[in-house]
Amino acid sequence: MVSLWGRWMEAESYYVHGPIAALAFIWLTYSALRTTKKNPRKPYTTLALIVLVSIITLYFQIQRIRFGEYLGISTIFVLGVVLFWGVESLKKLRWALWFLLLALPVPSFVLVHLSFYLRQLAVVLVVAFFKLTPLTIQQDGNLITYGAHWV
């Protein structure tokens, strides 16, 4: 959790929305589960899954595979909800779980790949916009040149 907080707070981060999404997740979870009855059964399978996911999460933490660590912590939380409130409670948490996923940092290889295509899309849209104006621009890959200026 310390590394997740550090990821959220680092300079020039893509993840500054993480604490807000986490707070929304906590509030939505509390709102959904405060009226839900506790699970009367003894779900030993869920408890075994929590132990297994905890071991895998610990391995990810030792190997510094951050996304696996974050996903493991989230999975442990979801399994804890199932343990105490039953599988039916997950239906009440469907919106809260989206906020939980939104709070998790995306793996860097996905971010790099996605940002490349988003930059290309931005260039195509800017060029299409400038074609509607009398200005002349020149595009070379992701580089847009207008007179002596380039973006």
PDB file of all heavy atoms in Angstrom, residues 74-95:
ATOM      1  N   SER A  74      -6.461  -5.675  -4.172  1.00  0.00           N
ATOM      2  CA  SER A  74      -7.872  -5.459  -4.521  1.00  0.00           C
ATOM      3  C   SER A  74      -8.650  -6.768  -4.481  1.00  0.00           C
ATOM      4  O   SER A  74      -9.784  -6.813  -4.003  1.00  0.00           O
ATOM      5  CB  SER A  74      -7.982  -4.851  -5.923  1.00  0.00           C
ATOM      6  OG  SER A  74      -7.272  -3.654  -5.967  1.00  0.00           O
ATOM      7  N   THR A  75      -8.033  -7.836  -4.970  1.00  0.00           N
ATOM      8  CA  THR A  75      -8.693  -9.143  -4.962  1.00  0.00           C
ATOM      9  C   THR A  75      -8.909  -9.631  -3.534  1.00  0.00           C
ATOM     10  O   THR A  75      -9.954 -10.215  -3.217  1.00  0.00           O
ATOM     11  CB  THR A  75      -7.857 -10.161  -5.757  1.00  0.00           C
ATOM     12  OG1 THR A  75      -7.632  -9.650  -7.068  1.00  0.00           O
ATOM     13  CG2 THR A  75      -8.559 -11.499  -5.854  1.00  0.00           C
ATOM     14  N   ILE A  76      -7.940  -9.398  -2.656  1.00  0.00           N
ATOM     15  CA  ILE A  76      -8.100  -9.785  -1.259  1.00  0.00           C
ATOM     16  C   ILE A  76      -9.278  -9.035  -0.637  1.00  0.00           C
ATOM     17  O   ILE A  76     -10.076  -9.619   0.108  1.00  0.00           O
ATOM     18  CB  ILE A  76      -6.799  -9.519  -0.470  1.00  0.00           C
ATOM     19  CG1 ILE A  76      -5.712 -10.498  -0.914  1.00  0.00           C
ATOM     20  CG2 ILE A  76      -7.033  -9.611   1.032  1.00  0.00           C
ATOM     21  CD1 ILE A  76      -4.328 -10.152  -0.416  1.00  0.00           C
ATOM     22  N   PHE A  77      -9.420  -7.764  -0.976  1.00  0.00           N
ATOM     23  CA  PHE A  77     -10.551  -7.001  -0.457  1.00  0.00           C
ATOM     24  C   PHE A  77     -11.879  -7.593  -0.937  1.00  0.00           C
ATOM     25  O   PHE A  77     -12.806  -7.781  -0.157  1.00  0.00           O
ATOM     26  CB  PHE A  77     -10.471  -5.533  -0.859  1.00  0.00           C
ATOM     27  CG  PHE A  77     -11.698  -4.774  -0.461  1.00  0.00           C
ATOM     28  CD1 PHE A  77     -11.860  -4.335   0.835  1.00  0.00           C
ATOM     29  CD2 PHE A  77     -12.713  -4.552  -1.371  1.00  0.00           C
ATOM     30  CE1 PHE A  77     -13.008  -3.664   1.226  1.00  0.00           C
ATOM     31  CE2 PHE A  77     -13.861  -3.884  -1.001  1.00  0.00           C
ATOM     32  CZ  PHE A  77     -14.014  -3.445   0.302  1.00  0.00           C
ATOM     33  N   VAL A  78     -11.964  -7.883  -2.234  1.00  0.00           N
ATOM     34  CA  VAL A  78     -13.204  -8.427  -2.799  1.00  0.00           C
ATOM     35  C   VAL A  78     -13.521  -9.783  -2.160  1.00  0.00           C
ATOM     36  O   VAL A  78     -14.673 -10.060  -1.808  1.00  0.00           O
ATOM     37  CB  VAL A  78     -13.099  -8.536  -4.336  1.00  0.00           C
ATOM     38  CG1 VAL A  78     -14.263  -9.317  -4.914  1.00  0.00           C
ATOM     39  CG2 VAL A  78     -13.044  -7.145  -4.953  1.00  0.00           C
ATOM     40  N   LEU A  79     -12.511 -10.623  -1.992  1.00  0.00           N
ATOM     41  CA  LEU A  79     -12.735 -11.918  -1.350  1.00  0.00           C
ATOM     42  C   LEU A  79     -13.144 -11.745   0.115  1.00  0.00           C
ATOM     43  O   LEU A  79     -13.946 -12.533   0.635  1.00  0.00           O
ATOM     44  CB  LEU A  79     -11.487 -12.790  -1.463  1.00  0.00           C
ATOM     45  CG  LEU A  79     -11.179 -13.324  -2.864  1.00  0.00           C
ATOM     46  CD1 LEU A  79      -9.826 -14.020  -2.886  1.00  0.00           C
ATOM     47  CD2 LEU A  79     -12.277 -14.264  -3.337  1.00  0.00           C
ATOM     48  N   GLY A  80     -12.612 -10.718   0.781  1.00  0.00           N
ATOM     49  CA  GLY A  80     -13.032 -10.429   2.148  1.00  0.00           C
ATOM     50  C   GLY A  80     -14.504 -10.048   2.216  1.00  0.00           C
ATOM     51  O   GLY A  80     -15.226 -10.462   3.133  1.00  0.00           O
ATOM     52  N   VAL A  81     -14.959  -9.274   1.247  1.00  0.00           N
ATOM     53  CA  VAL A  81     -16.384  -8.925   1.182  1.00  0.00           C
ATOM     54  C   VAL A  81     -17.216 -10.191   0.994  1.00  0.00           C
ATOM     55  O   VAL A  81     -18.239 -10.381   1.660  1.00  0.00           O
ATOM     56  CB  VAL A  81     -16.645  -7.909   0.046  1.00  0.00           C
ATOM     57  CG1 VAL A  81     -18.130  -7.775  -0.240  1.00  0.00           C
ATOM     58  CG2 VAL A  81     -16.049  -6.563   0.408  1.00  0.00           C
ATOM     59  N   VAL A  82     -16.766 -11.074   0.098  1.00  0.00           N
ATOM     60  CA  VAL A  82     -17.488 -12.326  -0.129  1.00  0.00           C
ATOM     61  C   VAL A  82     -17.487 -13.173   1.143  1.00  0.00           C
ATOM     62  O   VAL A  82     -18.490 -13.796   1.492  1.00  0.00           O
ATOM     63  CB  VAL A  82     -16.867 -13.110  -1.310  1.00  0.00           C
ATOM     64  CG1 VAL A  82     -17.436 -14.510  -1.404  1.00  0.00           C
ATOM     65  CG2 VAL A  82     -17.084 -12.356  -2.612  1.00  0.00           C
ATOM     66  N   LEU A  83     -16.370 -13.167   1.862  1.00  0.00           N
ATOM     67  CA  LEU A  83     -16.265 -13.947   3.095  1.00  0.00           C
ATOM     68  C   LEU A  83     -17.271 -13.476   4.142  1.00  0.00           C
ATOM     69  O   LEU A  83     -17.949 -14.284   4.774  1.00  0.00           O
ATOM     70  CB  LEU A  83     -14.841 -13.851   3.656  1.00  0.00           C
ATOM     71  CG  LEU A  83     -14.550 -14.585   4.956  1.00  0.00           C
ATOM     72  CD1 LEU A  83     -14.604 -16.088   4.724  1.00  0.00           C
ATOM     73  CD2 LEU A  83     -13.180 -14.196   5.484  1.00  0.00           C
ATOM     74  N   PHE A  84     -17.390 -12.161   4.326  1.00  0.00           N
ATOM     75  CA  PHE A  84     -18.256 -11.647   5.389  1.00  0.00           C
ATOM     76  C   PHE A  84     -19.699 -11.400   4.959  1.00  0.00           C
ATOM     77  O   PHE A  84     -20.608 -11.513   5.768  1.00  0.00           O
ATOM     78  CB  PHE A  84     -17.671 -10.359   5.969  1.00  0.00           C
ATOM     79  CG  PHE A  84     -16.442 -10.599   6.784  1.00  0.00           C
ATOM     80  CD1 PHE A  84     -15.204 -10.244   6.296  1.00  0.00           C
ATOM     81  CD2 PHE A  84     -16.518 -11.215   8.021  1.00  0.00           C
ATOM     82  CE1 PHE A  84     -14.058 -10.467   7.040  1.00  0.00           C
ATOM     83  CE2 PHE A  84     -15.391 -11.449   8.770  1.00  0.00           C
ATOM     84  CZ  PHE A  84     -14.150 -11.079   8.279  1.00  0.00           C
ATOM     85  N   TRP A  85     -19.926 -11.037   3.702  1.00  0.00           N
ATOM     86  CA  TRP A  85     -21.280 -10.679   3.270  1.00  0.00           C
ATOM     87  C   TRP A  85     -21.856 -11.600   2.191  1.00  0.00           C
ATOM     88  O   TRP A  85     -22.997 -11.432   1.800  1.00  0.00           O
ATOM     89  CB  TRP A  85     -21.312  -9.233   2.759  1.00  0.00           C
ATOM     90  CG  TRP A  85     -21.254  -8.244   3.865  1.00  0.00           C
ATOM     91  CD1 TRP A  85     -22.293  -7.838   4.646  1.00  0.00           C
ATOM     92  CD2 TRP A  85     -20.105  -7.535   4.327  1.00  0.00           C
ATOM     93  NE1 TRP A  85     -21.854  -6.920   5.560  1.00  0.00           N
ATOM     94  CE2 TRP A  85     -20.521  -6.715   5.390  1.00  0.00           C
ATOM     95  CE3 TRP A  85     -18.772  -7.515   3.944  1.00  0.00           C
ATOM     96  CZ2 TRP A  85     -19.649  -5.890   6.071  1.00  0.00           C
ATOM     97  CZ3 TRP A  85     -17.903  -6.690   4.632  1.00  0.00           C
ATOM     98  CH2 TRP A  85     -18.338  -5.893   5.675  1.00  0.00           C
ATOM     99  N   GLY A  86     -21.075 -12.515   1.668  1.00  0.00           N
ATOM    100  CA  GLY A  86     -21.574 -13.458   0.669  1.00  0.00           C
ATOM    101  C   GLY A  86     -21.422 -12.937  -0.751  1.00  0.00           C
ATOM    102  O   GLY A  86     -21.182 -11.748  -0.982  1.00  0.00           O
ATOM    103  N   VAL A  87     -21.561 -13.835  -1.695  1.00  0.00           N
ATOM    104  CA  VAL A  87     -21.380 -13.503  -3.120  1.00  0.00           C
ATOM    105  C   VAL A  87     -22.444 -12.518  -3.588  1.00  0.00           C
ATOM    106  O   VAL A  87     -22.182 -11.668  -4.440  1.00  0.00           O
ATOM    107  CB  VAL A  87     -21.425 -14.796  -3.973  1.00  0.00           C
ATOM    108  CG1 VAL A  87     -21.314 -14.499  -5.447  1.00  0.00           C
ATOM    109  CG2 VAL A  87     -20.336 -15.758  -3.543  1.00  0.00           C
ATOM    110  N   GLU A  88     -23.630 -12.588  -3.007  1.00  0.00           N
ATOM    111  CA  GLU A  88     -24.719 -11.699  -3.415  1.00  0.00           C
ATOM    112  C   GLU A  88     -24.372 -10.226  -3.196  1.00  0.00           C
ATOM    113  O   GLU A  88     -24.886  -9.347  -3.883  1.00  0.00           O
ATOM    114  CB  GLU A  88     -26.007 -12.043  -2.649  1.00  0.00           C
ATOM    115  CG  GLU A  88     -26.515 -13.450  -2.868  1.00  0.00           C
ATOM    116  CD  GLU A  88     -25.775 -14.485  -2.017  1.00  0.00           C
ATOM    117  OE1 GLU A  88     -25.252 -14.132  -0.938  1.00  0.00           O
ATOM    118  OE2 GLU A  88     -25.705 -15.638  -2.446  1.00  0.00           O
ATOM    119  N   SER A  89     -23.500  -9.960  -2.242  1.00  0.00           N
ATOM    120  CA  SER A  89     -23.135  -8.570  -1.952  1.00  0.00           C
ATOM    121  C   SER A  89     -22.341  -7.929  -3.087  1.00  0.00           C
ATOM    122  O   SER A  89     -22.301  -6.705  -3.213  1.00  0.00           O
ATOM    123  CB  SER A  89     -22.328  -8.497  -0.663  1.00  0.00           C
ATOM    124  OG  SER A  89     -21.111  -9.202  -0.818  1.00  0.00           O
ATOM    125  N   LEU A  90     -21.712  -8.740  -3.934  1.00  0.00           N
ATOM    126  CA  LEU A  90     -20.942  -8.177  -5.052  1.00  0.00           C
ATOM    127  C   LEU A  90     -21.842  -7.454  -6.046  1.00  0.00           C
ATOM    128  O   LEU A  90     -21.398  -6.526  -6.718  1.00  0.00           O
ATOM    129  CB  LEU A  90     -20.136  -9.265  -5.754  1.00  0.00           C
ATOM    130  CG  LEU A  90     -18.981  -9.846  -4.950  1.00  0.00           C
ATOM    131  CD1 LEU A  90     -18.265 -10.923  -5.760  1.00  0.00           C
ATOM    132  CD2 LEU A  90     -18.012  -8.771  -4.532  1.00  0.00           C
ATOM    133  N   LYS A  91     -23.099  -7.864  -6.138  1.00  0.00           N
ATOM    134  CA  LYS A  91     -24.036  -7.148  -7.015  1.00  0.00           C
ATOM    135  C   LYS A  91     -24.234  -5.711  -6.533  1.00  0.00           C
ATOM    136  O   LYS A  91     -24.340  -4.794  -7.330  1.00  0.00           O
ATOM    137  CB  LYS A  91     -25.379  -7.867  -7.060  1.00  0.00           C
ATOM    138  CG  LYS A  91     -25.342  -9.177  -7.784  1.00  0.00           C
ATOM    139  CD  LYS A  91     -26.699  -9.844  -7.767  1.00  0.00           C
ATOM    140  CE  LYS A  91     -26.614 -11.224  -8.371  1.00  0.00           C
ATOM    141  NZ  LYS A  91     -27.888 -11.942  -8.266  1.00  0.00           N
ATOM    142  N   LYS A  92     -24.255  -5.530  -5.218  1.00  0.00           N
ATOM    143  CA  LYS A  92     -24.415  -4.181  -4.666  1.00  0.00           C
ATOM    144  C   LYS A  92     -23.149  -3.351  -4.857  1.00  0.00           C
ATOM    145  O   LYS A  92     -23.200  -2.128  -4.833  1.00  0.00           O
ATOM    146  CB  LYS A  92     -24.741  -4.252  -3.179  1.00  0.00           C
ATOM    147  CG  LYS A  92     -26.098  -4.820  -2.880  1.00  0.00           C
ATOM    148  CD  LYS A  92     -26.350  -4.776  -1.398  1.00  0.00           C
ATOM    149  CE  LYS A  92     -27.749  -5.248  -1.069  1.00  0.00           C
ATOM    150  NZ  LYS A  92     -28.004  -5.165   0.371  1.00  0.00           N
ATOM    151  N   LEU A  93     -22.024  -4.018  -5.019  1.00  0.00           N
ATOM    152  CA  LEU A  93     -20.740  -3.312  -5.121  1.00  0.00           C
ATOM    153  C   LEU A  93     -20.268  -3.082  -6.550  1.00  0.00           C
ATOM    154  O   LEU A  93     -19.146  -2.643  -6.752  1.00  0.00           O
ATOM    155  CB  LEU A  93     -19.657  -4.105  -4.378  1.00  0.00           C
ATOM    156  CG  LEU A  93     -19.739  -4.129  -2.876  1.00  0.00           C
ATOM    157  CD1 LEU A  93     -18.608  -4.948  -2.307  1.00  0.00           C
ATOM    158  CD2 LEU A  93     -19.693  -2.731  -2.318  1.00  0.00           C
ATOM    159  N   ARG A  94     -21.098  -3.369  -7.534  1.00  0.00           N
ATOM    160  CA  ARG A  94     -20.609  -3.293  -8.917  1.00  0.00           C
ATOM    161  C   ARG A  94     -20.089  -1.908  -9.280  1.00  0.00           C
ATOM    162  O   ARG A  94     -19.082  -1.789  -9.964  1.00  0.00           O
ATOM    163  CB  ARG A  94     -21.660  -3.778  -9.892  1.00  0.00           C
ATOM    164  CG  ARG A  94     -22.917  -2.975  -9.931  1.00  0.00           C
ATOM    165  CD  ARG A  94     -23.924  -3.572 -10.905  1.00  0.00           C
ATOM    166  NE  ARG A  94     -25.186  -2.901 -10.808  1.00  0.00           N
ATOM    167  CZ  ARG A  94     -26.183  -3.276 -10.033  1.00  0.00           C
ATOM    168  NH1 ARG A  94     -26.055  -4.348  -9.283  1.00  0.00           N
ATOM    169  NH2 ARG A  94     -27.304  -2.599  -9.985  1.00  0.00           N
ATOM    170  N   TRP A  95     -20.710  -0.829  -8.803  1.00  0.00           N
ATOM    171  CA  TRP A  95     -20.225   0.521  -9.123  1.00  0.00           C
ATOM    172  C   TRP A  95     -18.981   0.856  -8.317  1.00  0.00           C
ATOM    173  O   TRP A  95     -18.055   1.497  -8.812  1.00  0.00           O
ATOM    174  CB  TRP A  95     -21.316   1.564  -8.890  1.00  0.00           C
ATOM    175  CG  TRP A  95     -22.464   1.383  -9.815  1.00  0.00           C
ATOM    176  CD1 TRP A  95     -23.730   0.994  -9.487  1.00  0.00           C
ATOM    177  CD2 TRP A  95     -22.453   1.518 -11.232  1.00  0.00           C
ATOM    178  NE1 TRP A  95     -24.495   0.886 -10.612  1.00  0.00           N
ATOM    179  CE2 TRP A  95     -23.739   1.205 -11.706  1.00  0.00           C
ATOM    180  CE3 TRP A  95     -21.482   1.872 -12.169  1.00  0.00           C
ATOM    181  CZ2 TRP A  95     -24.079   1.240 -13.048  1.00  0.00           C
ATOM    182  CZ3 TRP A  95     -21.827   1.910 -13.510  1.00  0.00           C
ATOM    183  CH2 TRP A  95     -23.099   1.598 -13.930  1.00  0.00           C
TER     184      TRP A  95
END
